[in-house]
Structure formats: C-alpha cells, structure tokens
Amino acid sequence: MKLLNIDYIPGKEIEALDVVKGTVVYTKNVGRDFMAAMKNLVGGELVGYTQMLNEARQMAVKRMVDAAELLEADAVINIRYGTSSVMSGAAEIIAYGTAVKIKE
C-alpha cells in the first residue's frame, strides 16, 4: 500500500474512495514514568516516551491501512497525524487520510 503525504500520486489518475483513519489510545507505564522523572533531573530526550509514541503511531497507521484495504484501495494520500490527551497519562494518536484507487 502506497502511503503519501501529498494529495495526489505523481503521474497517476486516481479515484477517491473515502476517508480512512486509525486510532489508538496509549498510556505510559510506571517504569517509563520513573525513568522520565530521573531524566528530568539532567535533561535530554525521554527515550521511553519517544518509543511509546512511535509504537502508538505505528499501530494507528496499521489500523488506517487496514481500513483502506477493506475498501480495496491502492493508496492512502494526504496522510495526517494528530494527538490529544485523553486523560492524565494517556494520549490518543490518530492517523488519517484519503483512500484512493489508481485508475489504469
């Protein structure tokens, strides 16, 4: 499945099928919280949180692709990501875009 962050596929004619999205709510765990608190003392990247958000983003993209495959799409274009705090210690990650069929 071709995933693009532009609203067309260069050199191809496309048919828009529908908006597809994938969402996941992810929470931090005690181990990551403890390590983040320690890192706060010296500064720098919070690697545990970076990994957590990367995992959540991958899950959201997979769910978006699964939704596109149900529509028999060839690609998802104009992909966007969003995040919001759902509650203390939990974040929603959403990936969304337009599922399209490439015309032959």
Side-chain angles (χ1 to χ4, degrees):
M1 170 94 37
K2 191 177 283 275
L3 303 175
L4 299 168
N5 196 24
I6 54 178
D7 58 0
Y8 62 95
I9 299 175
K12 302 288 185 182
E13 189 176 338
I14 57 173
E15 172 191 353
L17 300 175
D18 205 350
V19 172
V20 289
K21 66 182 179 304
T23 186
V24 64
V25 175
Y26 226 72
T27 185
K28 55 190 176 183
N29 68 36
V30 176
R32 284 188 177 140
D33 259 359
F34 178 74
M35 294 309 291
M38 294 294 102
K39 193 66 163 184
N40 252 352
L41 296 175
V42 295
E45 180 182 8
L46 301 176
V47 176
Y49 285 133
T50 300
Q51 290 170 344
M52 179 188 75
L53 288 172
N54 281 332
E55 291 167 10
R57 193 174 303 109
Q58 288 173 354
M59 290 171 68
V61 168
K62 180 177 180 344
R63 291 175 182 175
M64 177 188 66
V65 168
D66 290 346
E69 287 174 345
L70 285 174
L71 297 172
E72 299 182 1
D74 298 314
V76 180
I77 61 171
N78 206 23
I79 293 174
R80 299 288 184 260
Y81 299 96
T83 185
S84 63
S85 178
V86 176
M87 57 184 268
S88 179
E92 175 193 33
I93 307 293
I94 185 168
Y96 60 96
T98 304
V100 298
K101 193 85 166 154
I102 298 173
K103 294 183 178 182
E104 296 299 321

